[in-house]
Amino acid sequence: MTTLAAPPATRIGAAKALRHGLTLARRGVLKIAKNPEQLADVTIMPILFLVMFVYLFGGAISGDTSSYLQLVVPGIMVMTTIQASVTVGIALNTDVSKGVFDRFRSLPIARSAPLIGAVLADLVRYLVCLVVLLVVATIMGYRVGTSVAAIPVAMALMMAFGLAFCWIAVWVGMLVPNPGTVQGLMAVLIIPVSFGSNIFVPSETMPGWLQAWSDVNPVSLLADTLRGLLNGGPVAGPLLGALAWMAAILAVFFPLAMRAYRKRLA
Amino acid sequence: MNDDIAIRAEGLVKRYRETTALAGVDLEVPTGTVLGVLGPNGAGKTTAVRILATLLQADAGHATVCGHDVRRDPVGVRSVIGLTGQYASVDEDLTGAENLTLIGRLLDLPKAAARARAAELLDRFELTGAGGRAIKTYSGGMRRRLDLAASLVGRPRVLYLDEPTTGLDPHARNEVWQVVRGLVDEGATALLTTQYLEEADQLADRITVFDHGRVVADGRSDELKRRVGGQTLQVRPTVRSDLDLVERILAELTGASPARDDDAALLTAPVSDPTLLSAMVRRLDEAGITADELALRLPSLDEVFLALTGDAATRPAEPERSLV
Ligand SMILES: Nc1ncnc2c1ncn2[C@@H]1O[C@H](COP(=O)(O)OP(=O)(O)OP(=O)(O)O)[C@@H](O)[C@H]1O
Ligand SMILES: [Mg+2]
């Protein structure tokens, strides 16, 4: 909107852009409801990891499965959020390649509206995935050690993280030709970031170089923050680090994503 | 700006890496008329439509739609246009009704009005029964029709139709023609690209022929026909043995040697003077010859099209090579 230089240009106000964004977010949610299997992909994988790690390695790592559960659930919440945030890139890429964006772009709506819509719909996705994960974890024996009020705070933190991290997926989604490539490329990024962290094992057990990375890995910092919030323990330290990462990811990838978005749609 | 020209384009150029899709195209579509854009595959029709619909930026030249500059005021352009692209651009996962309602909402219609408009358009395109089904279950023709309906939600003043009837059955094609005529009667302007010359003949007030990114001809359908082929006189005698005699008469009248098609027992000669038809009738009568067919005809638009864009005629043929 702001890039249109000439005076007589018809403009779309922020309120209207947001309203159109919400309309398109509703479309995104409707699509989630119609294709629950797509959501299942992002939900089931972390749950599989949860079950596998708890019963396979839990005893070996933490002595018994129930204390391992306390360690691993907050970490898998972070992993779930990261995985769910890939979907926004896939959804946008699909819309572009299927021509749906051409339809939107021929309408007098803000250029940002489809993007706002996709990202807002993503929030619903994070929420559903995290709730399912917590329900399964609770059935397996996970217990919040602080207070129930910590759950919405943890959820909000994950949403904020998802909102920052999703710009990487948006960027990749706007650069590559088809939806499958978005998935593949994001996996290359996500797997080392997820596993090179303290989600599954405390970093003290790692070789020096890996420990050094794991200790500054945003996934570790977020997992530690959630552990503090949900299980009890220090919050401020890891939270600060996590927020710094989120700000950095936003600062780098939001402009990149916006540039790629504009270019793809130019 | 000028109110009676709805779409005006000057010198549009669009280059891709090694292809020049548009090499300087001028267009002018008066308000309330239909411009038919014809051209072989790759001529640049879709590129022109996308530029005029603000989906693509031209490398050079400028264009206005209802006075809105496509580059400087794209939102203004979008608020007056409806676009049916060459490929359907609807959401496969949503139903027909949901797609149309979504567009209505994005065009700021209240919820109830958006639903009502969706129902009205589904009805108009005979999709009411399928309105509640996801688009991915639609046939190609149904998709096309829904896409067309989607471009009409906002009652656009200017409609772009990029091959709107490709893949439609004759009934659905007629329906689309009806809709376009109806819209134009109400004052809308349409730019229509098509591969069906009959469609251009039927709907378009003027026809522009594209080839290799340039306008190679422009005018009313009958003007183009006259310009390209001129008129011909065709005679098919009832009795085949009269062919020789008729050939002689025809040659005498037109001063040209007629083309003779022995299989069809048809003689064709170019004429410049349409009154020759009555002379021909008289001469045949005097000679006591009856004819199954006797007509003065303009070339078909297909012939015009081939003459204007006939690659085969202008490009040297591949030298034949022996395989051994
Ligand atoms: N995105 C693109 N990248 C590269 N070349 C392109 C692109 N889009 C179009 N072209 C080229 O530009 C030329 C014109 O294409 P265009 O789609 O406008 O043709 P058309 O007249 O619509 O053809 P058709 O009848 O097949 O739809 C073609 O040579 C095409 O290959
Ligand atoms: Mg085309």
Side-chain angles (χ1 to χ4, degrees):
Chain A
M1 291 169 289
T2 45
T3 50
L4 305 173
T10 315
R11 279 162 179 283
I12 292 167
K16 208 166 170 180
L18 188 63
R19 182 154 46 81
H20 292 153
L22 284 171
T23 301
L24 288 165
R26 211 167 301 130
R27 157 186 177 255
V29 174
L30 198 59
K31 280 168 75 87
I32 295 174
K34 289 187 182 237
N35 287 321
E37 71 278 2
Q38 278 173 15
L39 198 57
D41 283 355
V42 269
T43 316
I44 287 171
M45 247 265 278
I47 289 176
L48 278 180
F49 274 115
L50 179 66
V51 172
M52 190 174 80
F53 273 83
V54 167
Y55 295 119
L56 220 55
F57 309 124
I61 297 168
S62 294
D64 62 287
T65 50
S66 64
S67 48
Y68 185 63
L69 205 53
Q70 298 302 115
L71 171 87
V72 86
V73 167
I76 289 190
M77 287 175 71
V78 181
M79 189 180 176
T80 301
T81 309
I82 290 190
Q83 295 231 309
S85 79
V86 174
T87 324
V88 71
I90 296 172
L92 284 169
N93 186 288
T94 308
D95 277 353
V96 172
S97 35
K98 287 248 165 108
V100 178
F101 256 78
D102 282 351
R103 169 69 57 204
F104 294 153
R105 288 169 65 226
S106 73
L107 297 172
I109 60 174
R111 185 155 54 174
S112 58
L115 195 55
I116 296 173
V119 171
L120 290 182
D122 232 29
L123 284 181
V124 175
R125 221 183 322 259
Y126 305 151
L127 196 62
V128 174
C129 289
L130 289 171
V131 167
V132 171
L133 177 71
L134 276 181
V135 168
V136 173
T138 307
I139 293 169
M140 287 172 69
Y142 177 75
R143 294 292 174 267
V144 174
T146 49
S147 97
V148 189
I151 294 177
V153 178
M155 292 283 193
L157 178 63
M158 284 300 96
M159 303 266 181
F161 173 57
L163 278 185
F165 196 81
C166 75
W167 296 104
I168 303 181
V170 172
W171 180 56
V172 172
M174 290 296 104
L175 285 184
V176 304
N178 55 60
T181 318
V182 183
Q183 186 113 52
L185 275 180
M186 287 306 288
V188 170
L189 170 73
I190 286 174
I191 290 173
V193 170
S194 298
F195 285 89
S197 76
N198 66 15
I199 293 187
F200 298 108
V201 288
S203 53
E204 296 81 62
T205 63
M206 300 173 184
W209 59 271
L210 188 56
Q211 185 179 351
W213 159 242
S214 170
D215 285 344
V216 294
N217 184 338
V219 174
S220 302
L221 293 167
L222 279 158
D224 279 340
T225 311
L226 291 189
R227 286 179 189 126
L229 276 170
L230 298 172
N231 302 347
V235 171
L239 179 62
L240 218 61
L243 290 178
W245 265 109
M246 281 156 59
I249 292 171
L250 261 183
V252 174
F253 289 98
F254 179 73
L256 282 176
M258 288 307 288
R259 209 177 65 184
Y261 178 75
R262 284 206 199 93
K263 203 164 162 218
R264 184 78 181 249
L265 302 184
Chain B
M1 286 206 193
N2 204 333
D3 249 4
D4 36 273
I5 300 295
I7 307 169
R8 188 196 299 277
E10 279 161 26
L12 292 183
V13 173
K14 181 74 192 176
R15 285 185 210 91
Y16 292 105
R17 232 156 284 155
E18 67 279 5
T19 33
T20 299
L22 292 180
V25 160
D26 299 332
L27 289 176
E28 225 177 57
V29 191
T31 305
T33 68
V34 180
L35 175 72
V37 176
L38 299 179
N41 293 141
K45 305 180 294 295
T46 298
T47 306
V49 167
R50 289 177 67 83
I51 289 172
L52 294 172
T54 73
L55 298 186
L56 202 62
Q57 290 234 344
D59 296 326
H62 59 94
T64 56
V65 181
C66 293
H68 303 283
D69 189 294
V70 291
R71 190 186 306 265
R72 268 177 279 136
D73 185 13
V75 176
V77 174
R78 289 169 199 172
S79 61
V80 297
I81 64 166
L83 169 68
T84 299
Q86 187 166 0
Y87 306 102
S89 54
V90 282
D91 190 327
E92 301 263 309
D93 290 334
L94 301 188
T95 67
E98 284 164 350
N99 264 294
L100 298 182
T101 308
L102 172 68
I103 292 165
R105 295 290 287 154
L106 292 173
L107 290 166
D108 299 324
L109 292 181
K111 213 170 250 167
R115 289 220 185 90
R117 181 75 178 139
E120 181 189 335
L121 286 166
L122 287 171
D123 186 49
R124 190 159 176 184
F125 288 95
E126 299 179 14
L127 287 168
T128 306
R133 267 164 43 199
I135 303 294
K136 57 183 163 211
T137 70
Y138 280 25
S139 75
M142 291 163 77
R143 238 172 257 234
R144 264 338 266 147
R145 267 141 63 203
L146 190 85
D147 205 35
L148 200 63
S151 67
L152 299 181
V153 173
R155 302 174 200 279
R157 283 157 63 193
V158 172
L159 192 59
Y160 301 119
L161 304 165
D162 197 357
E163 303 196 18
T165 61
T166 301
L168 292 191
D169 63 37
H171 170 75
R173 184 172 303 167
N174 265 317
E175 181 56 38
V176 169
W177 290 359
Q178 219 67 57
V179 168
V180 174
R181 285 196 192 104
L183 288 166
V184 172
D185 284 344
E186 289 161 26
T189 307
L191 188 155
L192 163 101
T193 82
T194 181
Q195 300 286 349
Y196 301 112
L197 306 174
E198 190 204 346
E199 182 160 283
D201 236 352
Q202 287 270 341
L203 287 179
D205 297 288
R206 290 183 74 82
I207 291 172
T208 289
V209 183
F210 278 27
D211 195 20
H212 297 297
R214 287 178 198 285
V215 172
V216 293
D218 174 52
R220 289 200 319 271
S221 154
D222 56 336
E223 286 172 359
L224 291 184
K225 289 173 182 175
R226 236 187 298 278
R227 191 178 322 160
V228 168
Q231 289 175 306
T232 54
L233 187 58
Q234 281 189 335
V235 194
R236 192 203 309 274
T238 313
V239 184
R240 207 172 266 267
S241 55
D242 289 337
L243 266 177
D244 287 337
L245 182 54
V246 175
E247 188 175 4
R248 233 175 300 132
I249 299 173
L250 197 53
E252 204 177 299
L253 277 177
T254 61
S257 65
R260 177 168 169 154
D261 180 345
D262 274 305
D263 294 330
L266 188 71
L267 293 156
T268 309
V271 293
S272 45
D273 176 8
T275 61
L276 279 178
L277 181 62
S278 45
M280 188 71 196
V281 172
R282 248 190 333 270
R283 292 289 302 269
L284 289 176
D285 209 29
E286 284 164 16
I289 295 169
T290 58
D292 281 350
E293 190 180 327
L294 176 59
L296 198 58
R297 62 180 283 275
L298 283 170
S300 73
L301 206 48
D302 293 74
E303 289 164 321
V304 174
F305 182 76
L306 288 174
L308 288 169
T309 64
D311 279 355
T314 52
R315 230 174 253 160
E318 285 277 305
E320 271 185 54
R321 280 198 201 99
S322 148
L323 285 172
V324 280

